[in-house]
Amino acid sequence: MNLYDISREIKSVLKEDKKDLDSLGIKNDKLAFVLVDGLGWNLAKDIRTSVNPIQVNSIFPSITVTVFATLLTAKKPGEHGILGWRIINKENGSIENLMQKLKNESIELDTYFQNTSSLFIMPDVATKSMMSRLKVIPYFTFWDGLYKFKTALEMQSNDFIFFYIPYVDAASHLYGPYHEVTLSTARDVVQKIDCISTYFKEKYSILVTADHGHTQISNIVDLKKDKDFMEEMDFPPYGDHRSLMFKGRFPKSLLKYGANVIEGGKVEEMIGGSKNKPDYLVIPKDDSIIIYWDDDRKHEFRGSHGGLTQDEMKIPLYLYQ
């Protein structure tokens, strides 16, 4: 089971045709979904909770914006076309930073949550431009978010409640996935959600999961410092620094970095469709990120994601009901 399967299950519940899927055995008509950004199985497995999680898979690319698009549409990445934070603008033939683009304009997704009784509880700093037609309320601290989530569950006025929590991801990027700060953050977040979910499980079926995990990063490959690559490259990469995507001729100078190179039908199989399909995928095998864009140099990542390691792809799923 992966996040695409879970997104279809949620859609099935909200559209009142549970018999189509029912692989999770959801019992209640009302459903809550908590997405803990960056909570990989490698962190969750050692946290004590009132229910035991099962291990499920993220989707590829294991990127938050890609997961969000799948959850909002119940479509695979190759179908909705959002394959990472770097996207191709086909109108002018350039690569754009999707995060910057979302700050200036909305992207209309074909989300099935329109015309449903659904509430989305999001951090105030998070982009909500993919959700402009949905009911979104902001929160400003973790405690504020918990209060608004708990209040929404008490009111029972929505058939679906979505609560997004970014703090484990932020700690893991900054300190690494196995640092004491990250482990403490993960434990505090999961156990607070466990308490609330246990209390309200008779009124709502509550799913708690993650978008991806993190792998430890200790090496940075800067492609702009690679003269062979810069001479060979026809078109800049897009996607993300652990799931680089290329159009046109493949730069063979990349092979010296020992990354997995995927092409042809295998690419469509991995992303689940052909929309905006790259000609080549380059996925680091080890603890490297491969950067090209200038704003990637502003961050010192000790943990990251987007690739195919077990730490990135394996996530927990808790069900309270």
Side-chain angles (χ1 to χ4, degrees):
M1 178 180 289
N2 61 28
L3 288 175
Y4 166 66
D5 300 320
I6 294 170
S7 71
R8 292 180 62 231
E9 182 101 3
I10 294 170
K11 181 179 180 181
S12 177
V13 171
L14 290 182
K15 297 300 181 181
E16 298 181 352
D17 54 14
K18 295 182 186 180
K19 293 181 181 179
D20 286 357
L21 296 174
D22 201 29
S23 57
L24 290 174
I26 292 174
K27 297 177 181 178
N28 297 319
D29 292 331
K30 291 182 179 292
L31 180 64
F33 186 88
V34 181
L35 189 70
V36 183
D37 196 332
L39 181 70
W41 180 261
N42 52 349
L43 301 182
K45 62 183 176 63
D46 295 323
I47 299 174
R48 182 175 296 179
T49 52
S50 63
V51 300
N52 293 322
I54 63 170
Q55 188 182 94
V56 297
N57 291 311
S58 181
I59 53 173
F60 180 82
S62 49
I63 303 291
T64 302
V65 70
T66 304
V67 170
F68 256 93
T70 290
L71 292 173
L72 290 173
T73 63
K75 294 179 180 179
K76 297 178 180 178
E79 296 170 333
H80 58 65
I82 297 179
L83 302 178
W85 288 113
R86 306 286 180 184
I87 59 173
I88 293 180
N89 184 326
K90 293 182 178 180
E91 292 183 5
N92 57 25
S94 64
I95 306 295
E96 293 186 352
N97 185 323
L98 181 57
M99 186 175 292
Q100 294 298 321
K101 187 179 179 69
L102 286 170
K103 290 180 179 179
N104 300 320
E105 58 187 279
S106 296
I107 293 181
E108 298 296 341
L109 287 175
D110 183 22
T111 174
Y112 62 86
F113 287 104
Q114 287 179 242
N115 303 316
T116 65
S117 177
S118 301
L119 174 67
F120 293 80
I121 303 171
M122 304 286 292
D124 185 61
V125 296
T127 176
K128 297 178 280 291
S129 298
M130 295 172 66
M131 310 165 75
S132 59
R133 295 182 179 180
L134 302 175
K135 183 180 178 182
V136 180
I137 61 171
Y139 68 90
F140 300 91
T141 67
F142 178 48
W143 305 106
D144 181 37
L146 288 175
Y147 171 74
K148 287 176 176 173
F149 180 52
K150 180 174 176 289
T151 301
L153 291 168
E154 287 173 339
M155 293 176 63
Q156 299 187 65
S157 56
N158 296 282
D159 293 333
F160 178 79
I161 301 170
F162 181 99
F163 182 24
Y164 169 66
I165 305 173
Y167 305 110
V168 177
D169 181 74
S172 194
H173 275 302
L174 184 61
Y175 294 99
Y178 300 106
H179 192 278
E180 59 181 328
V181 171
T182 306
L183 297 174
S184 177
T185 303
R187 183 175 60 253
D188 288 351
V189 167
V190 170
Q191 290 182 341
K192 292 294 188 300
I193 293 299
D194 179 66
C195 289
I196 293 175
S197 300
T198 300
Y199 185 80
F200 287 99
K201 65 182 182 180
E202 299 298 326
K203 298 176 180 178
Y204 279 82
S205 289
I206 302 175
L207 297 169
V208 181
T209 188
D211 48 355
H212 54 75
H214 278 249
T215 191
Q216 187 76 34
I217 299 298
S218 60
N219 183 49
I220 299 175
V221 175
D222 191 336
L223 292 179
K224 283 193 174 178
K225 295 181 180 179
D226 186 331
K227 293 181 180 179
D228 294 334
F229 172 80
M230 294 301 291
E231 290 178 0
E232 193 180 8
M233 179 188 68
D234 288 334
F235 191 74
Y238 61 106
D240 203 73
H241 52 228
R242 282 190 60 80
S243 51
L244 279 78
M245 303 179 185
F246 289 87
K247 287 284 191 182
R249 183 168 60 115
F250 175 70
K252 294 184 179 178
S253 54
L254 286 173
L255 295 174
K256 64 176 171 285
Y257 299 115
N260 289 308
V261 179
I262 299 165
E263 59 183 304
K266 184 65 175 176
V267 175
E268 286 191 30
E269 179 183 330
M270 289 179 64
I271 66 173
S274 59
K275 186 175 182 180
N276 292 336
K277 181 179 76 70
D279 295 321
Y280 299 93
L281 290 171
V282 176
I283 305 170
K285 297 178 184 178
D286 58 10
D287 57 355
S288 297
I289 58 173
I290 303 176
I291 65 173
Y292 175 85
W293 298 96
D294 291 340
D295 53 9
D296 277 338
R297 296 177 182 84
K298 298 176 183 178
H299 307 285
E300 186 177 344
F301 293 113
R302 291 183 173 87
S304 197
H305 55 91
L308 286 171
T309 66
Q310 295 286 301
D311 283 354
E312 292 163 284
M313 291 295 293
K314 298 298 182 183
I315 55 176
L317 174 64
Y318 306 80
L319 175 59
Y320 299 83
Q321 59 181 8

